[in-house]
Amino acid sequence: MKSWCKNLLAAGLSLAVLSACSSSDVEEEPVSELTEIQASVFPEISWSTSVGDGVGDYYSRLRPAVNYGKVFVADRYGTIEAFDENTGERVWERDFSEAFRDHPLAKNKGARLAAGVVAARNKVFIGSESGLLGALNAEDGSNAWLSSTNGELLSAPTVAEDVVVVHTSAGNLDAFDVDTGEKLWSYEMQLPNLTLRGTGSAAYEAGGFFLGSADGKIAVVIKGNGQAAWEQAIYSPSGGNEFSRMADVDMTPLILGENLYAVSYNGNLVSMELRTGRVIWSRKYSSFNELASAGLSLYLVDDHSRVYAIDKRNGLELWSNSELANRSLTSPAVFGNYLVVGDFEGYLHFLDKSTGAIVGRVQVDSSGLFSQPLVVGDKIYVQGRSGKVATVTLP
């Protein structure tokens, strides 16, 4: 299997990344410069700290997790820290790389953490490019268990009651016992010749894991036995070369009521019937980012960092904003009346979610923001490539 560089995969890089990955014939697209805005909100950094050495320019899906009164954060090289959610004081610190000392993968440089952090079932789950899935005790950071998979872990684990699953780069959904790390089953998906670097996490609902595949499909896998209940293509790849046929679903299917929403690279944004997989509507969009929603609207950042609001009932476009085009935007998150996205220069932008107008911004980390902002109550948690972690609030 060949793996394709995800365009704008590292903050601070423009479409030159994609050009370098393919050929010199690909024309670079300009990165939008920030212009003066008519600000109506003035976000502030209310707390910040630094955790390890960050993630550098590497592909990463690491982002903070908040649970049990703590904020859990990790860097690429194995540092995992827990902070008191209210005071910001460090509660514990753990070096995940210690797990490599007696492991066959000890020759690898550092932990290479890229998947997580997820805090659930009184544990902190995190995965590495070496295929290791680890669980720490949320209370003190002590080791709970460590298990191996057959591929890189590039997206966050999904915890469902007594089972935790991970989507590996080899195309498998592997399931483990939450308490012991014992492997329970593995669901295999076929990989095309050319894929984006990255995988989407599974969503869990009503006893099933809903998962996007590298060949443009959504599958639902039954928790109890690892068998597929249904599988449905959201886009049928076509074109004269492997690049034009790429159709990865590299996001977590968004479940809202009886419907599921998903988007593929080079493909479609779709609404599907949750029980059967029947496609209700389909619209042409290309993205590898997570979707966000509020009310009747879906929010999407496409593969060129254009932002859209779409009516979830029929797929009709409500507004679009291209002022931040090619700025390596993160996946969007809804924060009250606003949509928030980070960019490669470390700015967190606030868009009016009803109009798409940019109404505020704050620079958090000049090394760049790379993962979806986490909204918890009246706080936004963001992580920068340098290792800076910050809480952003509105006064």
Side-chain angles (χ1 to χ4, degrees), residues 169-238:
S169 63
N172 293 351
L173 185 70
D174 290 343
F176 301 86
D177 184 280
V178 160
D179 295 319
T180 67
E182 176 189 0
K183 190 171 183 178
L184 302 175
W185 49 257
S186 182
Y187 174 75
E188 297 183 7
M189 293 171 286
Q190 187 172 358
L191 290 179
N193 289 330
L194 193 64
T195 72
L196 295 176
R197 177 163 177 74
T199 59
S201 299
Y204 179 73
E205 181 72 23
F209 294 102
F210 294 79
L211 181 70
S213 70
D215 59 353
K217 296 176 182 176
I218 298 292
V220 56
V221 181
I222 299 170
K223 179 173 82 77
N225 57 22
Q227 301 298 310
W230 57 256
E231 187 178 86
Q232 175 66 51
I234 69 172
Y235 178 70
S236 297
S238 61

Side-chain angles (χ1 to χ4, degrees), residues 7-293:
N7 49 343
L8 307 184
L9 63 89
L13 302 181
S14 70
L15 282 179
V17 171
L18 183 57
S19 177
C21 291
S22 53
S23 75
S24 59
D25 295 331
V26 178
E27 184 178 349
E28 291 185 32
E29 294 194 17
V31 175
S32 298
E33 298 291 334
L34 295 184
T35 59
E36 187 175 348
I37 61 172
Q38 297 295 319
S40 58
V41 295
F42 302 91
E44 299 176 345
I45 298 174
S46 57
W47 170 84
S48 68
T49 189
S50 184
V51 174
D53 295 319
V55 301
D57 288 333
Y58 291 98
Y59 175 86
S60 181
R61 287 284 183 93
L62 292 176
R63 71 168 184 159
V66 177
N67 207 346
Y68 313 118
K70 301 180 183 68
V71 182
F72 303 95
V73 191
D75 81 340
R76 174 180 172 81
Y77 306 97
T79 299
I80 305 174
E81 298 187 29
F83 301 90
D84 185 281
E85 184 180 358
N86 295 317
T87 67
E89 295 181 0
R90 183 182 289 105
V91 179
W92 55 256
E93 180 178 355
R94 179 71 165 150
D95 182 4
F96 191 85
S97 297
E98 292 179 2
F100 287 73
R101 288 181 178 175
D102 301 318
H103 197 280
L105 297 177
K107 63 182 180 180
N108 289 326
K109 183 180 179 181
R112 299 197 298 173
L113 301 180
V117 179
V118 174
R121 297 283 299 214
N122 295 311
K123 293 180 178 63
V124 177
F125 299 92
I126 195 158
S128 82
E129 294 175 8
S130 300
L132 293 179
L133 173 65
L136 307 178
N137 291 307
E139 183 63 27
D140 59 9
S142 59
N143 276 353
W145 51 260
L146 183 71
S147 294
S148 296
T149 70
N150 67 343
E152 295 178 300
L153 301 185
L154 300 173
S155 57
T158 301
V159 178
E161 300 157 5
D162 57 347
V163 174
V164 54
V165 300
V166 287
H167 186 185
T168 77
S169 63
N172 293 351
L173 185 70
D174 290 343
F176 301 86
D177 184 280
V178 160
D179 295 319
T180 67
E182 176 189 0
K183 190 171 183 178
L184 302 175
W185 49 257
S186 182
Y187 174 75
E188 297 183 7
M189 293 171 286
Q190 187 172 358
L191 290 179
N193 289 330
L194 193 64
T195 72
L196 295 176
R197 177 163 177 74
T199 59
S201 299
Y204 179 73
E205 181 72 23
F209 294 102
F210 294 79
L211 181 70
S213 70
D215 59 353
K217 296 176 182 176
I218 298 292
V220 56
V221 181
I222 299 170
K223 179 173 82 77
N225 57 22
Q227 301 298 310
W230 57 256
E231 187 178 86
Q232 175 66 51
I234 69 172
Y235 178 70
S236 297
S238 61
N241 56 65
E242 289 180 343
F243 177 73
S244 63
R245 292 193 294 270
M246 292 170 65
D248 301 54
V249 181
D250 269 6
M251 46 79 68
T252 305
L254 177 62
I255 297 173
L256 299 173
E258 297 181 354
N259 292 342
L260 175 151
Y261 303 89
V263 63
S264 67
Y265 177 75
N266 259 351
N268 293 328
L269 169 68
V270 301
S271 171
M272 309 174 75
E273 193 175 78
L274 191 65
R275 290 187 302 107
T276 66
R278 181 180 68 87
V279 175
I280 300 170
W281 55 255
S282 177
R283 300 289 182 265
K284 184 68 176 176
Y285 289 95
S286 175
S287 179
F288 40 72
N289 290 305
E290 305 292 343
L291 297 172
S293 71

Side-chain angles (χ1 to χ4, degrees), residues 21 62 156 192 262 301 308 320:
C21 291
L62 292 176
V301 172
Y308 299 90
S320 65

